[in-house]
Amino acid sequence: MDNNPKNSVFQVRLPIIIALALSFGVLIGANSFKASPNNAQQTAKGYLKFRDILSYIDRDYVDTVNVEELTDFAIAKMLEKLDPHTSYIPASEISIARSYLEGNFDGIGIEFNVFRDTVYVVAPLSGGPSETVGIQAGDKIVKVNGENIAGVGITTQKVLEKLRGTKGSKVQLSILRKAQTKPMNFVVTRHKIPSHSVDVSYMLDKQTGYIKIARFANNTYAEFKEALSKLKKSGMQRLVLDLRGNPGGYMDRATKIADEFISGNKKIVYTDGKGTKYDSDTYAKVKGEFEEGKLVVLIDEGSASASEILAGALQDNDRALIVGRRSFGKGLVQMPISLNDGSELRLTISRYYTPSGRSIQKSYKKGTEEYGNDILNRYKKGEFFHQDSIRFDDSLKYKTINGRIVYGGGGIMPDVFVSRDTSDVTNYLNQLFAKNLVRKFAVNYFQDHRKEFEKMPFEDYKTSFLVSDKMLQGIIKEASSLKIVYKEKEFERSKDLLKNHIKAYIARSAYGSEGFYTIFQERDRELKQALQSFGRAGLLEKNYVQAHSVPE
């Protein structure tokens, strides 16, 4: 166990996990919204008070103020008095927020990374407009439409704003490429870019399929169906469904996927809100493509909302074995409400419950800050390393459809616990990740050896390519230039893990997502445990089929 949680790889990624979970959660379609008749008078008084104060400030305050910024700030502070997931998204940020879930956007089709104020192309998306004009992995974007973006404190948000635009519009890019002495200019026509939410799907062996879902967006169900069909044609008899790090999204996409695994008309999820307006019950209703067959679901502390709906439905119906660590614990449903100025309110309108009656929502009574620190507190208490450090109240005990004990009140607890492995994690390694050094090195290495990789089949790369000591010295040299002090003991401790990441990221540029995950998962102890758990999953599936078989 690492004694310095502040410096773990998990901590480097923690803000991303929490931000995604808090921002995207479970969403349902927006409907018209009206104030409660019981509070109409109080609502009117509050509105008039806010209007008067804003008017006085705008008219009489000693300095000129930005009224729109004041309004956005006031709204954000007001929502802090509610729950951690009700949120307000200003009009200036709404397009990027929506594109995460809408499944596609208009852009130039690249995966990029910002390193030392420089925008690196990690990979052009296959078939996208950037690949079409010849942009390559490893290229540095230094100008967009003649405006310098290198060395000016550029952020990912600013890059997205400059590269995305209306379909058919053109953007001029100035590119620096290795072996080229002068910048290269490309004109890229923006086009609709698919945003995939099923990261990868492939066969782990002759009988085992693997599907990783990154979030539940517009296209997720269609992508999942396509992946499932492909794997079945490849001979899949059992499946690992990976929901680790999945922050949620649209609830109905998660329930449709659950329906592909659950037979008959058994309950998947239900919601309960104020009154009955937002109450709902969702049942299985279609003949799914994988209602029989061993199923293991991977979850962790980054699995939230719709991920928990899917995992909870499969667990409560005794359809899947859940492997990993306790999930995030978000059991609130948000309704997106478009406002007149183009901004959006995502308002919590109900709680969701798993089929056994469990609420997955963890407590937020101690405030937003304490709520946001929950994952870190779990780490400090040792929950990521010891299952017996987790305590559930007996009053929150429930039973699955076949009588197994499960608990509510704070995420989905897996059937098979897997501790986090920090044995190879050091402060030195964390600094390399924090500075994006590993990914940058891999992209540059691929670019320098592109012709070699084009001739090398992936299976040959997987079995024969080795990350050499010379390559590692290159990383160390680059780190030193960034004032990262070399520590030999820490480096030796992290060496094998570092090699794995370098090889995986090179594979990402050379062979795509499947290449990346195939290499990366060689050190994935949670996936290895999932594969070892198919025996238990088989017993669960056998009892499930016997108890819930229905006539054709």
Side-chain angles (χ1 to χ4, degrees), residues 211 213 224 228 236 239-241 254-264 266 284 286-295 297 310 314 319-320 544:
I211 299 177
I213 303 178
F224 170 79
L228 192 64
M236 179 185 70
L239 174 65
V240 176
L241 180 64
T255 58
K256 284 181 178 179
I257 290 174
D259 202 353
E260 292 296 323
F261 298 116
I262 298 172
S263 64
K266 287 176 279 297
V286 302
K287 177 65 176 176
E289 286 197 43
F290 201 70
E291 290 183 354
E292 294 185 13
K294 299 174 184 178
L295 177 61
V297 177
L310 177 52
L314 296 174
R319 176 62 187 94
Y544 172 87

PDB file of all heavy atoms in Angstrom, residues 211 213 224 228 236 239-241 254-264 266 284 286-295 297 310 314 319-320 544:
ATOM      1  N   ILE A 211     -16.147  -5.700 -23.717  1.00  0.00           N
ATOM      2  CA  ILE A 211     -16.713  -4.428 -24.176  1.00  0.00           C
ATOM      3  C   ILE A 211     -16.481  -3.389 -23.086  1.00  0.00           C
ATOM      4  O   ILE A 211     -16.841  -3.618 -21.929  1.00  0.00           O
ATOM      5  CB  ILE A 211     -18.221  -4.530 -24.476  1.00  0.00           C
ATOM      6  CG1 ILE A 211     -18.490  -5.550 -25.582  1.00  0.00           C
ATOM      7  CG2 ILE A 211     -18.781  -3.163 -24.878  1.00  0.00           C
ATOM      8  CD1 ILE A 211     -19.975  -5.759 -25.876  1.00  0.00           C
ATOM      9  N   ILE A 213     -17.473   0.451 -22.045  1.00  0.00           N
ATOM     10  CA  ILE A 213     -18.354   1.595 -22.306  1.00  0.00           C
ATOM     11  C   ILE A 213     -17.853   2.773 -21.492  1.00  0.00           C
ATOM     12  O   ILE A 213     -17.781   2.707 -20.261  1.00  0.00           O
ATOM     13  CB  ILE A 213     -19.813   1.274 -21.941  1.00  0.00           C
ATOM     14  CG1 ILE A 213     -20.292   0.038 -22.705  1.00  0.00           C
ATOM     15  CG2 ILE A 213     -20.707   2.463 -22.245  1.00  0.00           C
ATOM     16  CD1 ILE A 213     -21.712  -0.389 -22.363  1.00  0.00           C
ATOM     17  N   PHE A 224     -23.218  -0.351 -28.720  1.00  0.00           N
ATOM     18  CA  PHE A 224     -23.171  -1.578 -27.920  1.00  0.00           C
ATOM     19  C   PHE A 224     -23.751  -2.748 -28.708  1.00  0.00           C
ATOM     20  O   PHE A 224     -23.164  -3.848 -28.727  1.00  0.00           O
ATOM     21  CB  PHE A 224     -23.926  -1.378 -26.614  1.00  0.00           C
ATOM     22  CG  PHE A 224     -24.123  -2.655 -25.834  1.00  0.00           C
ATOM     23  CD1 PHE A 224     -23.100  -3.183 -25.066  1.00  0.00           C
ATOM     24  CD2 PHE A 224     -25.334  -3.344 -25.893  1.00  0.00           C
ATOM     25  CE1 PHE A 224     -23.263  -4.375 -24.367  1.00  0.00           C
ATOM     26  CE2 PHE A 224     -25.505  -4.528 -25.198  1.00  0.00           C
ATOM     27  CZ  PHE A 224     -24.472  -5.037 -24.433  1.00  0.00           C
ATOM     28  N   LEU A 228     -21.764  -6.095 -29.607  1.00  0.00           N
ATOM     29  CA  LEU A 228     -22.240  -7.393 -29.121  1.00  0.00           C
ATOM     30  C   LEU A 228     -22.444  -8.357 -30.279  1.00  0.00           C
ATOM     31  O   LEU A 228     -22.059  -9.537 -30.210  1.00  0.00           O
ATOM     32  CB  LEU A 228     -23.539  -7.201 -28.341  1.00  0.00           C
ATOM     33  CG  LEU A 228     -24.038  -8.386 -27.516  1.00  0.00           C
ATOM     34  CD1 LEU A 228     -23.052  -8.707 -26.399  1.00  0.00           C
ATOM     35  CD2 LEU A 228     -25.422  -8.088 -26.933  1.00  0.00           C
ATOM     36  N   MET A 236     -18.230 -15.622 -29.269  1.00  0.00           N
ATOM     37  CA  MET A 236     -18.295 -15.282 -27.853  1.00  0.00           C
ATOM     38  C   MET A 236     -19.330 -16.134 -27.121  1.00  0.00           C
ATOM     39  O   MET A 236     -20.481 -16.243 -27.547  1.00  0.00           O
ATOM     40  CB  MET A 236     -18.647 -13.799 -27.676  1.00  0.00           C
ATOM     41  CG  MET A 236     -18.747 -13.381 -26.214  1.00  0.00           C
ATOM     42  SD  MET A 236     -19.293 -11.666 -26.020  1.00  0.00           S
ATOM     43  CE  MET A 236     -21.015 -11.792 -26.552  1.00  0.00           C
ATOM     44  N   LEU A 239     -18.889 -12.929 -21.435  1.00  0.00           N
ATOM     45  CA  LEU A 239     -18.588 -11.517 -21.688  1.00  0.00           C
ATOM     46  C   LEU A 239     -18.113 -10.810 -20.436  1.00  0.00           C
ATOM     47  O   LEU A 239     -18.659 -11.004 -19.344  1.00  0.00           O
ATOM     48  CB  LEU A 239     -19.845 -10.813 -22.214  1.00  0.00           C
ATOM     49  CG  LEU A 239     -19.780  -9.289 -22.404  1.00  0.00           C
ATOM     50  CD1 LEU A 239     -18.783  -8.921 -23.495  1.00  0.00           C
ATOM     51  CD2 LEU A 239     -21.169  -8.738 -22.739  1.00  0.00           C
ATOM     52  N   VAL A 240     -17.092  -9.949 -20.603  1.00  0.00           N
ATOM     53  CA  VAL A 240     -16.697  -8.981 -19.583  1.00  0.00           C
ATOM     54  C   VAL A 240     -17.177  -7.614 -20.048  1.00  0.00           C
ATOM     55  O   VAL A 240     -16.778  -7.137 -21.110  1.00  0.00           O
ATOM     56  CB  VAL A 240     -15.164  -8.943 -19.378  1.00  0.00           C
ATOM     57  CG1 VAL A 240     -14.806  -7.846 -18.375  1.00  0.00           C
ATOM     58  CG2 VAL A 240     -14.655 -10.287 -18.891  1.00  0.00           C
ATOM     59  N   LEU A 241     -18.056  -6.998 -19.257  1.00  0.00           N
ATOM     60  CA  LEU A 241     -18.555  -5.648 -19.542  1.00  0.00           C
ATOM     61  C   LEU A 241     -17.848  -4.686 -18.596  1.00  0.00           C
ATOM     62  O   LEU A 241     -18.008  -4.765 -17.380  1.00  0.00           O
ATOM     63  CB  LEU A 241     -20.072  -5.587 -19.335  1.00  0.00           C
ATOM     64  CG  LEU A 241     -20.732  -4.236 -19.602  1.00  0.00           C
ATOM     65  CD1 LEU A 241     -20.596  -3.835 -21.059  1.00  0.00           C
ATOM     66  CD2 LEU A 241     -22.215  -4.280 -19.206  1.00  0.00           C
ATOM     67  N   ALA A 254     -28.712   3.118 -20.677  1.00  0.00           N
ATOM     68  CA  ALA A 254     -28.279   2.090 -19.729  1.00  0.00           C
ATOM     69  C   ALA A 254     -29.344   1.014 -19.550  1.00  0.00           C
ATOM     70  O   ALA A 254     -29.029  -0.181 -19.484  1.00  0.00           O
ATOM     71  CB  ALA A 254     -27.939   2.730 -18.385  1.00  0.00           C
ATOM     72  N   THR A 255     -30.608   1.420 -19.472  1.00  0.00           N
ATOM     73  CA  THR A 255     -31.674   0.435 -19.265  1.00  0.00           C
ATOM     74  C   THR A 255     -31.885  -0.430 -20.506  1.00  0.00           C
ATOM     75  O   THR A 255     -32.207  -1.615 -20.405  1.00  0.00           O
ATOM     76  CB  THR A 255     -32.994   1.121 -18.871  1.00  0.00           C
ATOM     77  OG1 THR A 255     -33.388   2.060 -19.886  1.00  0.00           O
ATOM     78  CG2 THR A 255     -32.840   1.865 -17.552  1.00  0.00           C
ATOM     79  N   LYS A 256     -31.662   0.140 -21.693  1.00  0.00           N
ATOM     80  CA  LYS A 256     -31.782  -0.658 -22.917  1.00  0.00           C
ATOM     81  C   LYS A 256     -30.693  -1.725 -22.966  1.00  0.00           C
ATOM     82  O   LYS A 256     -30.936  -2.858 -23.408  1.00  0.00           O
ATOM     83  CB  LYS A 256     -31.692   0.242 -24.145  1.00  0.00           C
ATOM     84  CG  LYS A 256     -32.953   1.046 -24.421  1.00  0.00           C
ATOM     85  CD  LYS A 256     -32.782   1.889 -25.679  1.00  0.00           C
ATOM     86  CE  LYS A 256     -34.051   2.665 -25.992  1.00  0.00           C
ATOM     87  NZ  LYS A 256     -33.900   3.509 -27.216  1.00  0.00           N
ATOM     88  N   ILE A 257     -29.508  -1.357 -22.528  1.00  0.00           N
ATOM     89  CA  ILE A 257     -28.417  -2.335 -22.498  1.00  0.00           C
ATOM     90  C   ILE A 257     -28.717  -3.417 -21.467  1.00  0.00           C
ATOM     91  O   ILE A 257     -28.494  -4.606 -21.713  1.00  0.00           O
ATOM     92  CB  ILE A 257     -27.077  -1.633 -22.208  1.00  0.00           C
ATOM     93  CG1 ILE A 257     -26.671  -0.779 -23.417  1.00  0.00           C
ATOM     94  CG2 ILE A 257     -25.977  -2.653 -21.886  1.00  0.00           C
ATOM     95  CD1 ILE A 257     -25.445   0.077 -23.196  1.00  0.00           C
ATOM     96  N   ALA A 258     -29.251  -3.028 -20.309  1.00  0.00           N
ATOM     97  CA  ALA A 258     -29.642  -4.018 -19.301  1.00  0.00           C
ATOM     98  C   ALA A 258     -30.656  -4.999 -19.874  1.00  0.00           C
ATOM     99  O   ALA A 258     -30.607  -6.215 -19.594  1.00  0.00           O
ATOM    100  CB  ALA A 258     -30.223  -3.311 -18.078  1.00  0.00           C
ATOM    101  N   ASP A 259     -31.564  -4.489 -20.697  1.00  0.00           N
ATOM    102  CA  ASP A 259     -32.605  -5.329 -21.296  1.00  0.00           C
ATOM    103  C   ASP A 259     -32.022  -6.380 -22.239  1.00  0.00           C
ATOM    104  O   ASP A 259     -32.641  -7.420 -22.484  1.00  0.00           O
ATOM    105  CB  ASP A 259     -33.587  -4.433 -22.058  1.00  0.00           C
ATOM    106  CG  ASP A 259     -34.945  -5.098 -22.258  1.00  0.00           C
ATOM    107  OD1 ASP A 259     -35.077  -6.287 -21.925  1.00  0.00           O
ATOM    108  OD2 ASP A 259     -35.874  -4.413 -22.747  1.00  0.00           O
ATOM    109  N   GLU A 260     -30.831  -6.136 -22.775  1.00  0.00           N
ATOM    110  CA  GLU A 260     -30.197  -7.121 -23.644  1.00  0.00           C
ATOM    111  C   GLU A 260     -29.710  -8.337 -22.858  1.00  0.00           C
ATOM    112  O   GLU A 260     -29.462  -9.394 -23.439  1.00  0.00           O
ATOM    113  CB  GLU A 260     -29.015  -6.485 -24.385  1.00  0.00           C
ATOM    114  CG  GLU A 260     -29.399  -5.433 -25.399  1.00  0.00           C
ATOM    115  CD  GLU A 260     -30.225  -5.993 -26.541  1.00  0.00           C
ATOM    116  OE1 GLU A 260     -29.964  -7.128 -26.968  1.00  0.00           O
ATOM    117  OE2 GLU A 260     -31.150  -5.293 -26.996  1.00  0.00           O
ATOM    118  N   PHE A 261     -29.585  -8.190 -21.539  1.00  0.00           N
ATOM    119  CA  PHE A 261     -29.083  -9.273 -20.691  1.00  0.00           C
ATOM    120  C   PHE A 261     -30.182  -9.928 -19.850  1.00  0.00           C
ATOM    121  O   PHE A 261     -30.029 -11.070 -19.432  1.00  0.00           O
ATOM    122  CB  PHE A 261     -28.012  -8.733 -19.732  1.00  0.00           C
ATOM    123  CG  PHE A 261     -26.800  -8.167 -20.409  1.00  0.00           C
ATOM    124  CD1 PHE A 261     -26.483  -6.827 -20.296  1.00  0.00           C
ATOM    125  CD2 PHE A 261     -25.972  -8.981 -21.165  1.00  0.00           C
ATOM    126  CE1 PHE A 261     -25.360  -6.298 -20.903  1.00  0.00           C
ATOM    127  CE2 PHE A 261     -24.840  -8.464 -21.785  1.00  0.00           C
ATOM    128  CZ  PHE A 261     -24.536  -7.117 -21.660  1.00  0.00           C
ATOM    129  N   ILE A 262     -31.246  -9.191 -19.554  1.00  0.00           N
ATOM    130  CA  ILE A 262     -32.265  -9.644 -18.607  1.00  0.00           C
ATOM    131  C   ILE A 262     -33.487 -10.147 -19.366  1.00  0.00           C
ATOM    132  O   ILE A 262     -34.046  -9.439 -20.210  1.00  0.00           O
ATOM    133  CB  ILE A 262     -32.662  -8.501 -17.647  1.00  0.00           C
ATOM    134  CG1 ILE A 262     -31.439  -8.079 -16.824  1.00  0.00           C
ATOM    135  CG2 ILE A 262     -33.808  -8.911 -16.738  1.00  0.00           C
ATOM    136  CD1 ILE A 262     -31.663  -6.838 -15.989  1.00  0.00           C
ATOM    137  N   SER A 263     -33.921 -11.341 -19.034  1.00  0.00           N
ATOM    138  CA  SER A 263     -35.035 -11.963 -19.754  1.00  0.00           C
ATOM    139  C   SER A 263     -36.382 -11.611 -19.120  1.00  0.00           C
ATOM    140  O   SER A 263     -36.447 -11.056 -18.021  1.00  0.00           O
ATOM    141  CB  SER A 263     -34.863 -13.487 -19.759  1.00  0.00           C
ATOM    142  OG  SER A 263     -34.932 -13.989 -18.420  1.00  0.00           O
ATOM    143  N   GLY A 264     -37.437 -11.962 -19.822  1.00  0.00           N
ATOM    144  CA  GLY A 264     -38.790 -11.755 -19.305  1.00  0.00           C
ATOM    145  C   GLY A 264     -39.139 -10.295 -19.158  1.00  0.00           C
ATOM    146  O   GLY A 264     -38.705  -9.445 -19.931  1.00  0.00           O
ATOM    147  N   LYS A 266     -38.760  -8.568 -16.079  1.00  0.00           N
ATOM    148  CA  LYS A 266     -38.286  -8.211 -14.745  1.00  0.00           C
ATOM    149  C   LYS A 266     -37.906  -6.729 -14.672  1.00  0.00           C
ATOM    150  O   LYS A 266     -37.526  -6.113 -15.661  1.00  0.00           O
ATOM    151  CB  LYS A 266     -37.106  -9.108 -14.361  1.00  0.00           C
ATOM    152  CG  LYS A 266     -37.536 -10.536 -14.043  1.00  0.00           C
ATOM    153  CD  LYS A 266     -36.361 -11.420 -13.757  1.00  0.00           C
ATOM    154  CE  LYS A 266     -35.706 -11.904 -15.016  1.00  0.00           C
ATOM    155  NZ  LYS A 266     -36.577 -12.735 -15.844  1.00  0.00           N
ATOM    156  N   ALA A 284     -37.714  -4.986 -18.246  1.00  0.00           N
ATOM    157  CA  ALA A 284     -37.214  -5.644 -19.451  1.00  0.00           C
ATOM    158  C   ALA A 284     -38.405  -5.947 -20.350  1.00  0.00           C
ATOM    159  O   ALA A 284     -39.462  -6.353 -19.870  1.00  0.00           O
ATOM    160  CB  ALA A 284     -36.470  -6.925 -19.083  1.00  0.00           C
ATOM    161  N   VAL A 286     -37.736  -6.642 -24.224  1.00  0.00           N
ATOM    162  CA  VAL A 286     -37.367  -7.203 -25.524  1.00  0.00           C
ATOM    163  C   VAL A 286     -36.613  -8.512 -25.325  1.00  0.00           C
ATOM    164  O   VAL A 286     -36.100  -8.790 -24.242  1.00  0.00           O
ATOM    165  CB  VAL A 286     -36.481  -6.213 -26.330  1.00  0.00           C
ATOM    166  CG1 VAL A 286     -37.198  -4.900 -26.537  1.00  0.00           C
ATOM    167  CG2 VAL A 286     -35.131  -6.012 -25.651  1.00  0.00           C
ATOM    168  N   LYS A 287     -36.537  -9.295 -26.374  1.00  0.00           N
ATOM    169  CA  LYS A 287     -35.724 -10.502 -26.372  1.00  0.00           C
ATOM    170  C   LYS A 287     -34.285 -10.079 -26.617  1.00  0.00           C
ATOM    171  O   LYS A 287     -33.901  -9.703 -27.722  1.00  0.00           O
ATOM    172  CB  LYS A 287     -36.199 -11.464 -27.463  1.00  0.00           C
ATOM    173  CG  LYS A 287     -35.363 -12.727 -27.595  1.00  0.00           C
ATOM    174  CD  LYS A 287     -35.443 -13.610 -26.355  1.00  0.00           C
ATOM    175  CE  LYS A 287     -34.666 -14.905 -26.559  1.00  0.00           C
ATOM    176  NZ  LYS A 287     -34.652 -15.745 -25.339  1.00  0.00           N
ATOM    177  N   GLY A 288     -33.487 -10.087 -25.557  1.00  0.00           N
ATOM    178  CA  GLY A 288     -32.125  -9.587 -25.655  1.00  0.00           C
ATOM    179  C   GLY A 288     -31.187 -10.537 -26.382  1.00  0.00           C
ATOM    180  O   GLY A 288     -31.459 -11.737 -26.510  1.00  0.00           O
ATOM    181  N   GLU A 289     -30.052 -10.005 -26.832  1.00  0.00           N
ATOM    182  CA  GLU A 289     -29.092 -10.795 -27.600  1.00  0.00           C
ATOM    183  C   GLU A 289     -28.172 -11.626 -26.720  1.00  0.00           C
ATOM    184  O   GLU A 289     -27.452 -12.498 -27.222  1.00  0.00           O
ATOM    185  CB  GLU A 289     -28.244  -9.872 -28.486  1.00  0.00           C
ATOM    186  CG  GLU A 289     -28.986  -9.331 -29.689  1.00  0.00           C
ATOM    187  CD  GLU A 289     -28.020  -8.792 -30.735  1.00  0.00           C
ATOM    188  OE1 GLU A 289     -26.992  -9.445 -30.999  1.00  0.00           O
ATOM    189  OE2 GLU A 289     -28.309  -7.715 -31.268  1.00  0.00           O
ATOM    190  N   PHE A 290     -28.146 -11.360 -25.400  1.00  0.00           N
ATOM    191  CA  PHE A 290     -27.255 -12.122 -24.530  1.00  0.00           C
ATOM    192  C   PHE A 290     -27.942 -12.375 -23.189  1.00  0.00           C
ATOM    193  O   PHE A 290     -27.420 -12.063 -22.139  1.00  0.00           O
ATOM    194  CB  PHE A 290     -25.930 -11.375 -24.326  1.00  0.00           C
ATOM    195  CG  PHE A 290     -24.800 -12.259 -23.879  1.00  0.00           C
ATOM    196  CD1 PHE A 290     -24.233 -13.184 -24.735  1.00  0.00           C
ATOM    197  CD2 PHE A 290     -24.282 -12.155 -22.599  1.00  0.00           C
ATOM    198  CE1 PHE A 290     -23.180 -14.002 -24.323  1.00  0.00           C
ATOM    199  CE2 PHE A 290     -23.236 -12.955 -22.166  1.00  0.00           C
ATOM    200  CZ  PHE A 290     -22.683 -13.887 -23.040  1.00  0.00           C
ATOM    201  N   GLU A 291     -29.132 -12.966 -23.258  1.00  0.00           N
ATOM    202  CA  GLU A 291     -29.869 -13.265 -22.038  1.00  0.00           C
ATOM    203  C   GLU A 291     -29.337 -14.509 -21.347  1.00  0.00           C
ATOM    204  O   GLU A 291     -29.631 -14.747 -20.177  1.00  0.00           O
ATOM    205  CB  GLU A 291     -31.362 -13.429 -22.353  1.00  0.00           C
ATOM    206  CG  GLU A 291     -32.034 -12.104 -22.742  1.00  0.00           C
ATOM    207  CD  GLU A 291     -33.520 -12.252 -22.972  1.00  0.00           C
ATOM    208  OE1 GLU A 291     -34.013 -13.408 -22.935  1.00  0.00           O
ATOM    209  OE2 GLU A 291     -34.186 -11.227 -23.188  1.00  0.00           O
ATOM    210  N   GLU A 292     -28.582 -15.307 -22.063  1.00  0.00           N
ATOM    211  CA  GLU A 292     -27.942 -16.476 -21.484  1.00  0.00           C
ATOM    212  C   GLU A 292     -26.462 -16.427 -21.822  1.00  0.00           C
ATOM    213  O   GLU A 292     -26.077 -16.036 -22.918  1.00  0.00           O
ATOM    214  CB  GLU A 292     -28.568 -17.768 -22.024  1.00  0.00           C
ATOM    215  CG  GLU A 292     -30.017 -17.967 -21.590  1.00  0.00           C
ATOM    216  CD  GLU A 292     -30.568 -19.308 -22.031  1.00  0.00           C
ATOM    217  OE1 GLU A 292     -29.751 -20.170 -22.448  1.00  0.00           O
ATOM    218  OE2 GLU A 292     -31.788 -19.499 -21.977  1.00  0.00           O
ATOM    219  N   GLY A 293     -25.634 -16.844 -20.874  1.00  0.00           N
ATOM    220  CA  GLY A 293     -24.189 -16.782 -21.048  1.00  0.00           C
ATOM    221  C   GLY A 293     -23.564 -16.101 -19.846  1.00  0.00           C
ATOM    222  O   GLY A 293     -24.167 -15.210 -19.239  1.00  0.00           O
ATOM    223  N   LYS A 294     -22.378 -16.517 -19.479  1.00  0.00           N
ATOM    224  CA  LYS A 294     -21.712 -15.972 -18.297  1.00  0.00           C
ATOM    225  C   LYS A 294     -21.377 -14.495 -18.515  1.00  0.00           C
ATOM    226  O   LYS A 294     -20.849 -14.120 -19.565  1.00  0.00           O
ATOM    227  CB  LYS A 294     -20.442 -16.760 -17.995  1.00  0.00           C
ATOM    228  CG  LYS A 294     -20.693 -18.235 -17.691  1.00  0.00           C
ATOM    229  CD  LYS A 294     -19.392 -18.992 -17.535  1.00  0.00           C
ATOM    230  CE  LYS A 294     -19.648 -20.484 -17.325  1.00  0.00           C
ATOM    231  NZ  LYS A 294     -18.368 -21.247 -17.218  1.00  0.00           N
ATOM    232  N   LEU A 295     -21.676 -13.702 -17.489  1.00  0.00           N
ATOM    233  CA  LEU A 295     -21.482 -12.248 -17.595  1.00  0.00           C
ATOM    234  C   LEU A 295     -20.802 -11.721 -16.339  1.00  0.00           C
ATOM    235  O   LEU A 295     -21.262 -11.962 -15.221  1.00  0.00           O
ATOM    236  CB  LEU A 295     -22.842 -11.557 -17.780  1.00  0.00           C
ATOM    237  CG  LEU A 295     -22.859 -10.033 -17.851  1.00  0.00           C
ATOM    238  CD1 LEU A 295     -22.047  -9.524 -19.026  1.00  0.00           C
ATOM    239  CD2 LEU A 295     -24.302  -9.532 -17.938  1.00  0.00           C
ATOM    240  N   VAL A 297     -19.282  -8.013 -14.753  1.00  0.00           N
ATOM    241  CA  VAL A 297     -19.266  -6.560 -14.927  1.00  0.00           C
ATOM    242  C   VAL A 297     -18.190  -5.961 -14.036  1.00  0.00           C
ATOM    243  O   VAL A 297     -18.144  -6.234 -12.828  1.00  0.00           O
ATOM    244  CB  VAL A 297     -20.638  -5.937 -14.579  1.00  0.00           C
ATOM    245  CG1 VAL A 297     -20.580  -4.413 -14.692  1.00  0.00           C
ATOM    246  CG2 VAL A 297     -21.723  -6.491 -15.490  1.00  0.00           C
ATOM    247  N   LEU A 310     -27.120   0.224 -14.437  1.00  0.00           N
ATOM    248  CA  LEU A 310     -26.893  -1.018 -15.182  1.00  0.00           C
ATOM    249  C   LEU A 310     -26.324  -2.105 -14.279  1.00  0.00           C
ATOM    250  O   LEU A 310     -26.832  -3.232 -14.255  1.00  0.00           O
ATOM    251  CB  LEU A 310     -25.949  -0.732 -16.354  1.00  0.00           C
ATOM    252  CG  LEU A 310     -25.516  -1.921 -17.217  1.00  0.00           C
ATOM    253  CD1 LEU A 310     -26.717  -2.713 -17.705  1.00  0.00           C
ATOM    254  CD2 LEU A 310     -24.673  -1.429 -18.390  1.00  0.00           C
ATOM    255  N   LEU A 314     -28.348  -5.645 -13.029  1.00  0.00           N
ATOM    256  CA  LEU A 314     -27.802  -6.979 -13.298  1.00  0.00           C
ATOM    257  C   LEU A 314     -27.509  -7.728 -12.006  1.00  0.00           C
ATOM    258  O   LEU A 314     -27.703  -8.950 -11.923  1.00  0.00           O
ATOM    259  CB  LEU A 314     -26.534  -6.853 -14.146  1.00  0.00           C
ATOM    260  CG  LEU A 314     -26.735  -6.268 -15.549  1.00  0.00           C
ATOM    261  CD1 LEU A 314     -25.397  -6.044 -16.239  1.00  0.00           C
ATOM    262  CD2 LEU A 314     -27.631  -7.168 -16.392  1.00  0.00           C
ATOM    263  N   ARG A 319     -28.163 -11.633 -12.569  1.00  0.00           N
ATOM    264  CA  ARG A 319     -27.791 -11.930 -13.961  1.00  0.00           C
ATOM    265  C   ARG A 319     -26.285 -11.836 -14.195  1.00  0.00           C
ATOM    266  O   ARG A 319     -25.762 -12.449 -15.121  1.00  0.00           O
ATOM    267  CB  ARG A 319     -28.535 -10.962 -14.902  1.00  0.00           C
ATOM    268  CG  ARG A 319     -28.159 -11.108 -16.368  1.00  0.00           C
ATOM    269  CD  ARG A 319     -28.520 -12.495 -16.896  1.00  0.00           C
ATOM    270  NE  ARG A 319     -28.009 -12.705 -18.255  1.00  0.00           N
ATOM    271  CZ  ARG A 319     -26.847 -13.279 -18.549  1.00  0.00           C
ATOM    272  NH1 ARG A 319     -26.043 -13.709 -17.569  1.00  0.00           N
ATOM    273  NH2 ARG A 319     -26.466 -13.444 -19.801  1.00  0.00           N
ATOM    274  N   ALA A 320     -25.574 -11.036 -13.364  1.00  0.00           N
ATOM    275  CA  ALA A 320     -24.139 -10.857 -13.585  1.00  0.00           C
ATOM    276  C   ALA A 320     -23.396 -10.838 -12.268  1.00  0.00           C
ATOM    277  O   ALA A 320     -23.946 -10.457 -11.228  1.00  0.00           O
ATOM    278  CB  ALA A 320     -23.877  -9.552 -14.346  1.00  0.00           C
ATOM    279  N   TYR A 544     -29.853 -18.394 -12.316  1.00  0.00           N
ATOM    280  CA  TYR A 544     -30.705 -17.379 -12.936  1.00  0.00           C
ATOM    281  C   TYR A 544     -31.580 -18.007 -14.015  1.00  0.00           C
ATOM    282  O   TYR A 544     -32.785 -17.806 -14.072  1.00  0.00           O
ATOM    283  CB  TYR A 544     -29.827 -16.273 -13.534  1.00  0.00           C
ATOM    284  CG  TYR A 544     -30.579 -15.250 -14.369  1.00  0.00           C
ATOM    285  CD1 TYR A 544     -31.151 -14.138 -13.769  1.00  0.00           C
ATOM    286  CD2 TYR A 544     -30.696 -15.398 -15.745  1.00  0.00           C
ATOM    287  CE1 TYR A 544     -31.828 -13.203 -14.525  1.00  0.00           C
ATOM    288  CE2 TYR A 544     -31.374 -14.475 -16.507  1.00  0.00           C
ATOM    289  CZ  TYR A 544     -31.932 -13.362 -15.900  1.00  0.00           C
ATOM    290  OH  TYR A 544     -32.611 -12.445 -16.648  1.00  0.00           O
TER     291      TYR A 544
END
